[in-house]
Amino acid sequence: MTWKLIFPSSYQKREKTFLKKYPDIRERYYKTLLLLERDPHHTSLRLHGLQGKLAGLHSVSISLRYRITLE
């Protein structure tokens, strides 16, 4: 089963800023998105629910330092 990622315009602005600031992570970022679309439960993504102010959202890892939050 393939999933479809939907990016609101506010996310697209943040993505552009993030990739401009951290160009070295670009390839890893796109690989993460492709893997997320193919198999969101893949172990390397480390998908998990968030708590506190971000309760109800989930997170996947780009690297140990960078993450993407999902709704």
Side-chain angles (χ1 to χ4, degrees), residues 11 15 18-19 22 24-33 35-36 44-48 59-70:
Y11 180 86
E15 174 189 51
F18 174 78
L19 294 175
Y22 305 104
D24 55 316
I25 201 88
R26 179 183 298 268
E27 185 178 337
R28 185 97 188 237
Y29 171 76
Y30 287 121
K31 278 181 157 180
T32 301
L33 291 179
L35 185 56
L36 181 61
S44 69
L45 293 173
R46 296 185 287 279
L47 174 68
H48 62 280
S59 174
V60 294
S61 296
I62 299 172
S63 67
L64 292 176
R65 186 173 182 176
Y66 301 106
R67 298 184 181 172
I68 300 171
T69 54
L70 309 167

Side-chain angles (χ1 to χ4, degrees), residues 2-19:
T2 303
W3 300 81
K4 181 173 171 60
L5 300 176
I6 300 171
F7 301 96
S9 58
S10 60
Y11 180 86
Q12 292 171 348
K13 280 181 160 183
R14 288 182 185 159
E15 174 189 51
K16 188 175 182 179
T17 303
F18 174 78
L19 294 175

